[in-house]
Amino acid sequence: MHTTQPGRATTKRRISLLAAVVATGVLLTACMTADESSAFNLVNRDRATNSVPALAANDAAQTKAQNWAKHLATNSGGACTSSTLYHSNLATGAPAGWKRLGENVACRTVTGSVADAVAPIQGQFMSSAGHRANILNGSFTHAGVGISAVSIGTNRWVVFEAQYFVQL
């Protein structure tokens, strides 16, 4: 017979709880591409490195980020310049209840694959005071990341990333 002290979880219950947390994380990031999930994880890695709580994925922020990254890529003419990279109207499409919003946008030209741009773009964000401030803002609780790319030749890409931060 196995007994436990009141208030202490058994190993089986701990494993069940851990499995539920992992499953919830998978469901929350299910609408992200592999590159977007990688970028999202880098945002949370940088937050953890700076003792800031992790962001949860938010479907509406994710959709907004994906749509904006696609808009930038579609209208870029295959170039990553200050004229092809601009911010959205943050309030457009924001659901009721969003208290604070933030946005980071960046682009990068890479040779190889779209995935090759993910870490360097996060590095760009962290090297910029304004972008870094959004990433490390402890009042943001949720986020979404969108990535879209334009092929400019064999294994050459212009990659656009939009990050949306939300306080619910």
Side-chain angles (χ1 to χ4, degrees), residues 32-151:
M32 289 187 203
T33 67
D35 294 330
E36 290 165 344
S37 183
S38 177
F40 189 87
N41 290 336
L42 289 173
V43 168
N44 276 331
R45 179 207 65 193
D46 287 336
R47 286 173 67 93
T49 298
N50 289 278
S51 301
V52 180
L55 296 163
N58 177 276
D59 288 341
Q62 182 63 33
T63 298
K64 189 166 173 53
Q66 287 170 330
N67 289 342
W68 193 249
K70 184 176 180 179
H71 171 82
L72 292 172
T74 299
N75 294 290
S76 71
C80 176
T81 66
S82 59
S83 64
T84 62
L85 187 65
Y86 47 94
H87 290 276
S88 71
N89 178 339
L90 277 173
T92 300
W98 284 12
K99 297 175 185 169
R100 176 179 280 193
L101 307 172
E103 175 185 58
N104 288 343
V105 294
C107 58
R108 188 171 190 95
T109 302
V110 295
T111 300
S113 70
V114 173
D116 294 327
V118 174
I121 287 175
Q122 184 64 18
Q124 286 173 230
F125 286 143
M126 291 302 288
S127 294
S128 161
H131 295 105
R132 181 183 179 90
N134 276 340
I135 291 167
L136 300 181
N137 186 327
S139 68
F140 291 130
T141 56
H142 294 76
V145 175
I147 295 178
S148 189
V150 177
S151 175

